[in-house]
Amino acid sequence: MTNINDHKTKKYNNPFTATLTGIRDLFRKLPPAGTLKPENRLDGKTVLVDGSSSGLGFAVALDVARRGARLVMACRSGIPGKGELIKKLSGNPRVTMLPVDFSDLESIEKLARQIRDEAGPIDIYISNAGIVPKKSRKTPQGLEEMFMVNYFSKFVFINLMIEYGCFACKPEPSRIVLVSSESHRNPDKFDWDGFGIYRDYSIGKSIELYGYYKLLLTTFSVELSRRINADEAVRGSVFALCPGPVNSNIAREAPLIFQPLLKLVFSIFFRSPARAAIPVVYLAASPDQKGKPYDYFFLMSRKEIDEKASNPGNGKKLWDLSQALLEKLRQKP
Ligand SMILES: NC(=O)c1ccc[n+]([C@@H]2O[C@H](COP(=O)([O-])OP(=O)(O)OC[C@H]3O[C@@H](n4cnc5c(N)ncnc54)[C@H](OP(=O)(O)O)[C@@H]3O)[C@@H](O)[C@H]2O)c1
């Protein structure tokens, strides 16, 4: 496998530098692109939020419910408790929970069918689920779990949603908000030869690969926008963002010896999930973002994505490889 970080000392290569970079990023002053206002309501909209059992996703789901949306929570755990909690905290009874394991192709396909048949059409989809595993693990289809959950499941699920007509698209283009990370800038290059191939790794490599899969996700986000908005008419808005460092459960698999220190640093320096949810909900709900084909935010500021991600050749290559991998998996008995 090509080492995607051969040459430089990287900012997100290990938990220590990743945490320091996250803290430093919080103090970088960039002009805000707008403001999320209480009047940015979501009454009449159906909003799907995945990975909403915990951390950022839970906070986003709660904010969305408080803004009056019909909320669909796609979760691996916390059913029905987390949905009941959101109903109680928001006073909004229009909350449904659907089970999904994004590491399993069959579960993703089942979720897409449930949305087509019962829970859709979806006006706004917030794709948030993500992991930092302590080591490589195989999915039911033999892929590497972080590759599947943090990137490939999103390619599969969003394309199924489009194929099944799950997006409302009226009266305004549906919005897809992908939770990515500034760590997508870290890798030097794509590892096209290793695409989708399972390889063992341990915690030392997890953070580096996390940035690489966020690069795939960010590249996918802009390629998706290119494809659905190919002839200038905006059919769907695709937004990606880095919410900044969030005091969530993302480091749950960090070595036990570091857990107390990480918990302390996270609680002092990182944003609360409710605060980190603001740019996510802004992209989902603000009229400022209506009809835009694409945007990338870091916190509340608009930014250019890394040029590797915005390069159309890379976008096409990623799409073709992803499509070929999906077809191969579907052919397996
Ligand atoms: N925390 C940060 O500093 C930070 C910074 C930049 C970006 N992000 C991104 O923010 C997003 C949310 O993460 P978080 O920080 O809120 O972490 P978190 O508290 O660990 O939440 C992650 C969510 O993803 C879900 N999930 C994980 N694997 C799944 C699977 N196989 N199928 C379905 N759901 C699955 C989890 O469900 P369970 O509860 O069932 O495990 C949980 O709801 C991620 O995409 C992450 O990469 C986080």
Short mmCIF file of all heavy atoms in Angstrom, two decimals, residues 197-233:
data_model
loop_
_atom_site.label_atom_id
_atom_site.label_comp_id
_atom_site.label_asym_id
_atom_site.label_seq_id
_atom_site.Cartn_x
_atom_site.Cartn_y
_atom_site.Cartn_z
N ILE A 197 -9.42 -2.09 -0.53
CA ILE A 197 -8.76 -3.34 -0.16
C ILE A 197 -8.55 -3.38 1.35
O ILE A 197 -8.05 -2.41 1.94
CB ILE A 197 -7.40 -3.47 -0.89
CG1 ILE A 197 -7.65 -3.59 -2.40
CG2 ILE A 197 -6.59 -4.65 -0.37
CD1 ILE A 197 -6.37 -3.58 -3.22
N TYR A 198 -8.94 -4.49 1.96
CA TYR A 198 -8.78 -4.61 3.42
C TYR A 198 -7.31 -4.80 3.79
O TYR A 198 -6.64 -5.66 3.23
CB TYR A 198 -9.59 -5.80 3.96
CG TYR A 198 -9.40 -5.95 5.44
CD1 TYR A 198 -10.22 -5.27 6.33
CD2 TYR A 198 -8.36 -6.72 5.95
CE1 TYR A 198 -10.01 -5.35 7.69
CE2 TYR A 198 -8.15 -6.81 7.32
CZ TYR A 198 -8.99 -6.13 8.18
OH TYR A 198 -8.77 -6.20 9.53
N ARG A 199 -6.84 -3.98 4.71
CA ARG A 199 -5.50 -4.17 5.26
C ARG A 199 -5.53 -3.93 6.76
O ARG A 199 -6.27 -3.07 7.23
CB ARG A 199 -4.50 -3.21 4.61
CG ARG A 199 -4.17 -3.62 3.19
CD ARG A 199 -2.99 -2.81 2.64
NE ARG A 199 -2.66 -3.25 1.31
CZ ARG A 199 -3.18 -2.73 0.20
NH1 ARG A 199 -4.05 -1.75 0.28
NH2 ARG A 199 -2.82 -3.18 -0.99
N ASP A 200 -4.71 -4.68 7.48
CA ASP A 200 -4.66 -4.53 8.94
C ASP A 200 -3.95 -3.24 9.33
O ASP A 200 -2.99 -2.84 8.68
CB ASP A 200 -3.91 -5.71 9.57
CG ASP A 200 -4.77 -6.96 9.60
OD1 ASP A 200 -5.98 -6.83 9.88
OD2 ASP A 200 -4.22 -8.04 9.33
N TYR A 201 -4.42 -2.60 10.38
CA TYR A 201 -3.70 -1.46 10.97
C TYR A 201 -4.05 -1.40 12.46
O TYR A 201 -5.02 -2.03 12.90
CB TYR A 201 -4.02 -0.13 10.27
CG TYR A 201 -5.46 0.31 10.38
CD1 TYR A 201 -5.93 1.01 11.49
CD2 TYR A 201 -6.37 0.02 9.36
CE1 TYR A 201 -7.25 1.41 11.58
CE2 TYR A 201 -7.69 0.42 9.45
CZ TYR A 201 -8.13 1.11 10.55
OH TYR A 201 -9.43 1.50 10.65
N SER A 202 -3.27 -0.63 13.20
CA SER A 202 -3.57 -0.46 14.63
C SER A 202 -3.72 1.03 14.92
O SER A 202 -3.64 1.86 14.01
CB SER A 202 -2.47 -1.09 15.48
OG SER A 202 -1.24 -0.53 15.10
N ILE A 203 -3.92 1.36 16.18
CA ILE A 203 -4.30 2.72 16.58
C ILE A 203 -3.37 3.80 16.01
O ILE A 203 -3.81 4.88 15.65
CB ILE A 203 -4.41 2.83 18.13
CG1 ILE A 203 -4.97 4.20 18.57
CG2 ILE A 203 -3.08 2.59 18.83
CD1 ILE A 203 -6.43 4.34 18.45
N GLY A 204 -2.07 3.46 15.90
CA GLY A 204 -1.10 4.44 15.41
C GLY A 204 -1.46 4.96 14.02
O GLY A 204 -1.11 6.08 13.66
N LYS A 205 -2.13 4.16 13.26
CA LYS A 205 -2.46 4.51 11.87
C LYS A 205 -3.90 5.04 11.74
O LYS A 205 -4.28 5.60 10.70
CB LYS A 205 -2.31 3.22 11.04
CG LYS A 205 -2.43 3.36 9.56
CD LYS A 205 -1.07 3.43 8.89
CE LYS A 205 -1.25 3.51 7.38
NZ LYS A 205 -0.17 4.16 6.70
N SER A 206 -4.71 4.87 12.81
CA SER A 206 -6.14 5.20 12.71
C SER A 206 -6.37 6.66 12.34
O SER A 206 -7.20 6.97 11.48
CB SER A 206 -6.85 4.93 14.03
OG SER A 206 -6.88 3.57 14.27
N ILE A 207 -5.65 7.57 13.00
CA ILE A 207 -5.91 9.00 12.79
C ILE A 207 -5.51 9.41 11.38
O ILE A 207 -6.20 10.19 10.71
CB ILE A 207 -5.14 9.84 13.83
CG1 ILE A 207 -5.56 9.46 15.26
CG2 ILE A 207 -5.35 11.33 13.61
CD1 ILE A 207 -6.92 9.91 15.67
N GLU A 208 -4.40 8.84 10.92
CA GLU A 208 -3.95 9.14 9.56
C GLU A 208 -5.00 8.66 8.54
O GLU A 208 -5.37 9.39 7.62
CB GLU A 208 -2.61 8.44 9.32
CG GLU A 208 -2.03 8.70 7.95
CD GLU A 208 -0.78 7.85 7.71
OE1 GLU A 208 -0.01 7.63 8.66
OE2 GLU A 208 -0.61 7.40 6.57
N LEU A 209 -5.50 7.44 8.74
CA LEU A 209 -6.50 6.92 7.81
C LEU A 209 -7.82 7.68 7.93
O LEU A 209 -8.54 7.85 6.94
CB LEU A 209 -6.73 5.43 8.07
CG LEU A 209 -5.67 4.51 7.47
CD1 LEU A 209 -5.89 3.08 7.93
CD2 LEU A 209 -5.68 4.58 5.94
N TYR A 210 -8.12 8.15 9.13
CA TYR A 210 -9.33 8.97 9.33
C TYR A 210 -9.30 10.17 8.40
O TYR A 210 -10.26 10.47 7.70
CB TYR A 210 -9.40 9.40 10.80
CG TYR A 210 -10.52 10.36 11.15
CD1 TYR A 210 -11.80 9.88 11.43
CD2 TYR A 210 -10.30 11.74 11.22
CE1 TYR A 210 -12.82 10.76 11.76
CE2 TYR A 210 -11.32 12.61 11.56
CZ TYR A 210 -12.57 12.12 11.83
OH TYR A 210 -13.58 12.99 12.15
N GLY A 211 -8.14 10.87 8.36
CA GLY A 211 -8.01 12.02 7.46
C GLY A 211 -8.15 11.60 6.00
O GLY A 211 -8.76 12.30 5.20
N TYR A 212 -7.59 10.43 5.67
CA TYR A 212 -7.68 9.96 4.28
C TYR A 212 -9.13 9.67 3.88
O TYR A 212 -9.57 10.05 2.78
CB TYR A 212 -6.81 8.71 4.10
CG TYR A 212 -6.80 8.24 2.66
CD1 TYR A 212 -6.31 9.06 1.64
CD2 TYR A 212 -7.35 7.02 2.32
CE1 TYR A 212 -6.34 8.65 0.32
CE2 TYR A 212 -7.37 6.60 0.99
CZ TYR A 212 -6.87 7.42 0.00
OH TYR A 212 -6.91 7.03 -1.32
N TYR A 213 -9.89 9.05 4.78
CA TYR A 213 -11.29 8.75 4.43
C TYR A 213 -12.13 10.03 4.39
O TYR A 213 -13.09 10.12 3.63
CB TYR A 213 -11.87 7.70 5.39
CG TYR A 213 -11.15 6.37 5.28
CD1 TYR A 213 -10.93 5.57 6.39
CD2 TYR A 213 -10.64 5.93 4.05
CE1 TYR A 213 -10.25 4.36 6.29
CE2 TYR A 213 -9.95 4.73 3.94
CZ TYR A 213 -9.76 3.95 5.05
OH TYR A 213 -9.08 2.76 4.95
N LYS A 214 -11.73 11.03 5.18
CA LYS A 214 -12.42 12.32 5.08
C LYS A 214 -12.06 13.01 3.75
O LYS A 214 -12.87 13.76 3.20
CB LYS A 214 -12.09 13.23 6.27
CG LYS A 214 -12.68 12.75 7.60
CD LYS A 214 -14.20 12.77 7.64
CE LYS A 214 -14.76 12.49 9.03
NZ LYS A 214 -16.22 12.37 9.07
N LEU A 215 -10.84 12.75 3.25
CA LEU A 215 -10.51 13.26 1.91
C LEU A 215 -11.41 12.59 0.86
O LEU A 215 -11.94 13.26 -0.03
CB LEU A 215 -9.03 13.00 1.59
CG LEU A 215 -8.61 13.28 0.14
CD1 LEU A 215 -8.77 14.76 -0.22
CD2 LEU A 215 -7.15 12.85 -0.10
N LEU A 216 -11.61 11.27 0.98
CA LEU A 216 -12.51 10.59 0.04
C LEU A 216 -13.92 11.19 0.16
O LEU A 216 -14.58 11.47 -0.86
CB LEU A 216 -12.56 9.08 0.32
CG LEU A 216 -11.26 8.28 0.15
CD1 LEU A 216 -11.54 6.79 0.31
CD2 LEU A 216 -10.60 8.53 -1.20
N LEU A 217 -14.36 11.41 1.38
CA LEU A 217 -15.72 11.94 1.59
C LEU A 217 -15.86 13.34 0.99
O LEU A 217 -16.87 13.65 0.33
CB LEU A 217 -16.03 11.97 3.09
CG LEU A 217 -17.40 12.52 3.48
CD1 LEU A 217 -18.51 11.61 2.96
CD2 LEU A 217 -17.52 12.67 4.99
N THR A 218 -14.86 14.18 1.19
CA THR A 218 -14.93 15.55 0.68
C THR A 218 -14.87 15.56 -0.84
O THR A 218 -15.59 16.32 -1.51
CB THR A 218 -13.80 16.40 1.30
OG1 THR A 218 -13.80 16.21 2.72
CG2 THR A 218 -13.97 17.88 1.00
N THR A 219 -14.04 14.68 -1.41
CA THR A 219 -13.95 14.55 -2.87
C THR A 219 -15.30 14.08 -3.42
O THR A 219 -15.80 14.58 -4.44
CB THR A 219 -12.85 13.54 -3.24
OG1 THR A 219 -11.64 13.92 -2.59
CG2 THR A 219 -12.60 13.49 -4.74
N PHE A 220 -15.91 13.12 -2.73
CA PHE A 220 -17.23 12.62 -3.13
C PHE A 220 -18.27 13.75 -3.07
O PHE A 220 -19.11 13.87 -3.96
CB PHE A 220 -17.64 11.46 -2.20
CG PHE A 220 -19.10 11.11 -2.25
CD1 PHE A 220 -19.70 10.64 -3.41
CD2 PHE A 220 -19.89 11.25 -1.12
CE1 PHE A 220 -21.05 10.32 -3.45
CE2 PHE A 220 -21.24 10.94 -1.14
CZ PHE A 220 -21.83 10.48 -2.31
N SER A 221 -18.19 14.58 -2.02
CA SER A 221 -19.22 15.62 -1.85
C SER A 221 -19.27 16.53 -3.06
O SER A 221 -20.35 16.83 -3.60
CB SER A 221 -18.98 16.42 -0.56
OG SER A 221 -17.82 17.24 -0.65
N VAL A 222 -18.12 16.96 -3.54
CA VAL A 222 -18.12 17.92 -4.65
C VAL A 222 -18.43 17.21 -5.97
O VAL A 222 -19.13 17.75 -6.84
CB VAL A 222 -16.82 18.76 -4.67
CG1 VAL A 222 -15.62 17.94 -5.00
CG2 VAL A 222 -16.91 19.93 -5.62
N GLU A 223 -18.01 15.96 -6.10
CA GLU A 223 -18.34 15.20 -7.31
C GLU A 223 -19.85 14.92 -7.37
O GLU A 223 -20.47 14.99 -8.44
CB GLU A 223 -17.54 13.89 -7.33
CG GLU A 223 -17.78 13.00 -8.54
CD GLU A 223 -17.34 13.61 -9.88
OE1 GLU A 223 -16.60 14.61 -9.89
OE2 GLU A 223 -17.78 13.06 -10.92
N LEU A 224 -20.44 14.64 -6.23
CA LEU A 224 -21.90 14.42 -6.17
C LEU A 224 -22.63 15.68 -6.64
O LEU A 224 -23.56 15.60 -7.45
CB LEU A 224 -22.31 14.07 -4.73
CG LEU A 224 -23.80 13.94 -4.45
CD1 LEU A 224 -24.39 12.73 -5.20
CD2 LEU A 224 -24.06 13.78 -2.95
N SER A 225 -22.18 16.83 -6.16
CA SER A 225 -22.82 18.08 -6.58
C SER A 225 -22.66 18.27 -8.09
O SER A 225 -23.62 18.66 -8.77
CB SER A 225 -22.21 19.27 -5.82
OG SER A 225 -22.71 20.47 -6.36
N ARG A 226 -21.46 17.99 -8.61
CA ARG A 226 -21.25 18.11 -10.07
C ARG A 226 -22.24 17.24 -10.83
O ARG A 226 -22.81 17.64 -11.83
CB ARG A 226 -19.84 17.63 -10.43
CG ARG A 226 -18.80 18.72 -10.42
CD ARG A 226 -17.47 18.15 -10.95
NE ARG A 226 -16.40 18.73 -10.21
CZ ARG A 226 -15.61 18.11 -9.34
NH1 ARG A 226 -15.71 16.82 -9.13
NH2 ARG A 226 -14.69 18.76 -8.69
N ARG A 227 -22.44 16.02 -10.35
CA ARG A 227 -23.27 15.08 -11.11
C ARG A 227 -24.75 15.40 -11.03
O ARG A 227 -25.46 15.29 -12.03
CB ARG A 227 -23.00 13.65 -10.64
CG ARG A 227 -21.64 13.19 -11.13
CD ARG A 227 -21.27 11.80 -10.66
NE ARG A 227 -19.92 11.54 -11.12
CZ ARG A 227 -19.56 10.55 -11.95
NH1 ARG A 227 -20.46 9.70 -12.37
NH2 ARG A 227 -18.31 10.41 -12.33
N ILE A 228 -25.24 15.77 -9.84
CA ILE A 228 -26.68 16.01 -9.76
C ILE A 228 -27.06 17.39 -10.30
O ILE A 228 -28.21 17.62 -10.62
CB ILE A 228 -27.26 15.80 -8.33
CG1 ILE A 228 -26.61 16.73 -7.31
CG2 ILE A 228 -27.16 14.37 -7.90
CD1 ILE A 228 -27.17 16.55 -5.89
N ASN A 229 -26.07 18.27 -10.43
CA ASN A 229 -26.36 19.62 -10.94
C ASN A 229 -25.63 19.85 -12.27
O ASN A 229 -25.20 20.95 -12.56
CB ASN A 229 -25.93 20.66 -9.91
CG ASN A 229 -26.61 20.44 -8.56
OD1 ASN A 229 -27.82 20.26 -8.52
ND2 ASN A 229 -25.85 20.42 -7.49
N ALA A 230 -25.58 18.79 -13.10
CA ALA A 230 -24.70 18.82 -14.27
C ALA A 230 -25.05 19.90 -15.29
O ALA A 230 -24.17 20.48 -15.89
CB ALA A 230 -24.71 17.45 -14.94
N ASP A 231 -26.34 20.17 -15.46
CA ASP A 231 -26.70 21.10 -16.54
C ASP A 231 -27.10 22.48 -16.02
O ASP A 231 -28.02 23.10 -16.53
CB ASP A 231 -27.81 20.51 -17.40
CG ASP A 231 -28.99 20.11 -16.54
OD1 ASP A 231 -28.95 20.39 -15.33
OD2 ASP A 231 -29.95 19.52 -17.07
N GLU A 232 -26.42 22.92 -14.96
CA GLU A 232 -26.59 24.27 -14.40
C GLU A 232 -27.83 24.39 -13.51
O GLU A 232 -27.84 25.21 -12.61
CB GLU A 232 -26.66 25.36 -15.49
CG GLU A 232 -25.53 25.30 -16.49
CD GLU A 232 -24.36 26.22 -16.17
OE1 GLU A 232 -24.62 27.39 -15.93
OE2 GLU A 232 -23.22 25.73 -16.16
N ALA A 233 -28.89 23.59 -13.79
CA ALA A 233 -30.07 23.67 -12.91
C ALA A 233 -29.71 23.00 -11.60
O ALA A 233 -29.20 21.88 -11.60
CB ALA A 233 -31.24 22.94 -13.56
#
